[in-house]
Amino acid sequence: MADKALLKEFEAIVGADNVMSAEAETHAYSYDAAVLDSVAPAVVVRPTETEQLGAITALCNKHGLPLTVRGAGTNLSGGTIPSKGGVVVLTGALNKILELNMDDLYARVQPGVITAKFAAEVASKGLFYPPDPGSQTVSTLGGNVAENAGGLRGLKYGVTKDYLMGISFYDVNGDLVKSGSRTVKCVTGYNLPGLMVASEGTLGVFNEITFKLIPPPQAAQSMMAVFDDVLDASRTVSAIIAAKILPATLEFMDNFTIRTVDNFRKAGLPTDAAALLLIEVDGHPAQVAEEAEKVEKICKEHNAKSVEVAKDAEHRAKVWQARRDALPALANLKPTCVLEDATVPRSRIPAMMEALARISKEFDLTIGTFGHAGDGNLHPTILTDKRNEQEWHRVEKAIDAIFDEALAMGGTLSGEHGIGLAKSKYMEQETSRATIEYSRRMKKSLDPKGILNPGKIISALLD
Amino acid sequence: MADKALLKEFEAIVGADNVMSAEAETHAYSYDAAVLDSVAPAVVVRPTETEQLGAITALCNKHGLPLTVRGAGTNLSGGTIPSKGGVVVLTGALNKILELNMDDLYARVQPGVITAKFAAEVASKGLFYPPDPGSQTVSTLGGNVAENAGGLRGLKYGVTKDYLMGISFYDVNGDLVKSGSRTVKCVTGYNLPGLMVASEGTLGVFNEITFKLIPPPQAAQSMMAVFDDVLDASRTVSAIIAAKILPATLEFMDNFTIRTVDNFRKAGLPTDAAALLLIEVDGHPAQVAEEAEKVEKICKEHNAKSVEVAKDAEHRAKVWQARRDALPALANLKPTCVLEDATVPRSRIPAMMEALARISKEFDLTIGTFGHAGDGNLHPTILTDKRNEQEWHRVEKAIDAIFDEALAMGGTLSGEHGIGLAKSKYMEQETSRATIEYSRRMKKSLDPKGILNPGKIISALLD
């Protein structure tokens, strides 16, 4: 419970209705979607105007209070888990789309706007905002920037950072920093939007974000290819790219995931298949027709048992519902679901699939694998029960082994889930001691008291 | 002339043949393409292995020597002008393409690789590296990253930062920092590639760069539209985008530029036209045919006097040669050529054209305007003689006025030329005091002695 004088200070900024400190209220903000211990904050504040963010940040800095900004709390690496005695700032009420500019193809938004709602609003104006993280129906755009959220369309359309044109944010003193522009080209000063992306709330508190929008593809075609052999499926992925086709989405599901999804929602999936590829090509209608035909041919050349082409919108929706069901279906099976996102160059996916099979066997664990095969970003998902200490120990060993494999293949620890609290101990293995020290010096200069989302990325190593 | 003991130290790193300190040798590295006073460095070193960069940087830091990395020296804002008594590091010998990976669509290069040579090598393997700055035949990829170089394809394909996947660089201690990946998705730690882009050599010395490659468009069609009215031409630009067409290039030339280019190389341009739009659409052949037809129609609806569609490769080359001639032709007219790149949201191009006409008249100056209309990045080019003090004073006032207009229209000081020495005094006007201070704190923590390309961006304000 926070001290009364302090609560008064927060109330003076956001109003008494928007400050919470009772345990029953703060508990809801003590965890996120990562499998990590929860930590209840001392205070939760809910600003209703972005201007209040500056005053909140300055107040936290004055008192040395840890400040964690929280959008929807869907983070998978503990980025939204607050610090003991700290402050959680909710962005839910900062949910205005400030401008959708059709002539200049950009949008300005507050940080609490929900991703899918924004994408739908953009679509209703005839434009396209491609990033589609799995949590898009609840995740916020501020959170997406803080984590550089990815999604299914990464291969062809890129990730959140590829749409970030400008940002304004409050520094620890509560002063407003502005960088980037409403123009595609802007080199006025350091690329601070580039620095804010993936910074996990550790370098500033976002005030307003400018995103690039693009014209939507005119047509799309979805397909489901069924394989008897996981390696045939993963080799197909490389063959499609080698044919110079960049599908909008190119997703993979292994047999375990297929069966679990089919059990979750009777979807009529081929439960005896070793693997499925779910593929969508998009663009000009003529290009879509050609590419769909080529993709079908490539799948068959790689021993696909069948390639089902979606006949209509309903059929297409069914294909993608199966993919979207993967995580909830798997998560339903066991008390604890560890969703990893180690990423490899896509030509190494066959090798990664073999490694995952080996790791699953070695540590006697159930691993369901699905994910964004097209950009090498698989989601091996370990199903377990954290209360089973012996098994949990094996899970930790398996995660280490997955990271070792990904790095040995020229990949990365995290494609889209972030480092947060969960992976900071692995950072040096992928980068270098000098990288950690460089980041540490930068962080320290921009947040001398270490109040901005402490412990995330490399902050745990701050002296 | 640098002190002999110091020269010995540099010679120990790169060999005696690769250290220059005689005035006759250092003079060549005292200026770049900006209209600014030259400053000769004390020492010029030419490393032949990237590993030597770390030792050179550490040595400069030990002695507090200003270090300026120089690629081709084509910088337009003074970013490559060294500091008095400083060291220039030439990257010309660090020109290896280390890997072109066709399966995973990336390339790894040393910083001194020449842009056009790289693009050609990529093209020869059937892939595409889109960034095409005007200086591409001589500019280096390291310089392109340091400046976030743009070019003609910014609207549809983005700029250098959109292709930067990973980078390793030496910090001031000479230690190697690594960030980013060979995968499209990577959120392992701070986005240091994003921070390095446009940092103008002030935060680290680049060692190796990883770029994203994409499949090339299958077809392209070039067109030249002739207008009697500048505003008709500039309104056509917005109308094309409003029709949801993103041309690969959408370039503008005013009458003064047209006449100058035609005089430079008898190209048969319509010298009585008020303005030209040079347009190229690319993609799937069916899409190209449709878009070319639509673009032609839109041009005519906006009173284009004629629209010439390139009939073959030779005709196409002629169209683009005219555009490439714009700067050399203009620069040929007068002793001093000031090439600006203030950028506005593209819907404001008509207003910007009106403002430029007003400014030209008010300050009695010759301004030729051409540039990347599609992304709002015009290049008003002031032709003058710096030795004419009275006129030069008017030039400086005109530049201030151009920046004021661009910022009032929601634009930016610099679309692609950088801040360098030339524009740092305008930075606060576009951003905020807090932005400068934030940048200053960051710079100071990463380069405490201020040795990395001092005076560039905000460094002049370092205390």
Side-chain angles (χ1 to χ4, degrees), chain B residues 152-223:
Chain B
L152 276 66
R153 300 196 183 103
L155 169 62
K156 181 168 184 174
Y157 289 103
V159 296
T160 305
K161 89 172 153 158
D162 299 304
Y163 295 87
L164 180 62
M165 294 172 88
I167 196 162
S168 65
F169 61 90
Y170 293 97
D171 67 15
V172 284
N173 305 312
D175 293 324
L176 196 61
V177 177
K178 297 176 189 178
S179 181
S181 182
R182 297 167 195 186
T183 56
V184 176
K185 289 176 177 168
C186 171
V187 289
T188 298
Y190 291 116
N191 176 22
L192 301 181
L195 180 62
M196 286 302 117
V197 138
S199 66
E200 304 192 2
T202 64
L203 299 178
V205 174
F206 303 166
N207 173 71
E208 184 187 308
I209 306 163
T210 304
F211 286 113
K212 181 168 87 169
L213 306 175
I214 61 174
Q218 291 174 44
Q221 181 61 268
S222 294
M223 286 163 279

Side-chain angles (χ1 to χ4, degrees), chain A residues 104 126 151 185 202-203 244 438, chain B residues 126 151 185 190 203 244 347 438:
Chain A
D104 295 322
K185 288 176 177 169
T202 63
L203 299 178
K244 300 208 170 61
Y438 190 92
Chain B
K185 289 176 177 168
Y190 291 116
L203 299 178
K244 300 207 170 60
S347 66
Y438 190 92

Side-chain angles (χ1 to χ4, degrees), chain A residues 85-223:
Chain A
V87 177
V88 163
V89 176
L90 303 178
T91 61
L94 308 172
N95 60 357
K96 288 191 191 70
I97 297 175
L98 302 167
E99 183 184 3
L100 280 184
N101 193 311
M102 303 298 111
D103 293 330
D104 295 322
L105 304 182
Y106 70 81
R108 291 188 304 115
V109 301
Q110 293 185 334
V113 172
I114 289 170
T115 314
K117 212 181 138 192
F118 173 65
E121 188 70 25
V122 168
S124 77
K125 305 284 184 190
L127 288 175
F128 187 28
Y129 176 72
D132 58 345
S135 53
Q136 61 177 325
T137 54
V138 291
S139 73
T140 63
L141 292 169
N144 291 170
V145 171
E147 299 294 326
N148 192 13
L152 276 65
R153 300 194 183 105
L155 168 61
K156 180 167 184 175
Y157 289 103
V159 295
T160 304
K161 89 173 149 145
D162 298 303
Y163 295 86
L164 181 62
M165 296 172 85
I167 195 162
S168 64
F169 60 91
Y170 294 97
D171 67 14
V172 284
N173 306 311
D175 293 325
L176 196 62
V177 176
K178 297 176 189 180
S179 181
S181 182
R182 297 166 195 187
T183 56
V184 175
K185 288 176 177 169
C186 172
V187 289
T188 298
Y190 291 116
N191 176 22
L192 300 182
L195 180 62
M196 287 301 116
V197 138
S199 66
E200 304 192 1
T202 63
L203 299 178
V205 174
F206 302 166
N207 173 70
E208 185 185 308
I209 306 163
T210 304
F211 286 114
K212 181 168 87 168
L213 306 176
I214 61 173
Q218 291 173 43
Q221 182 61 269
S222 295
M223 286 163 278

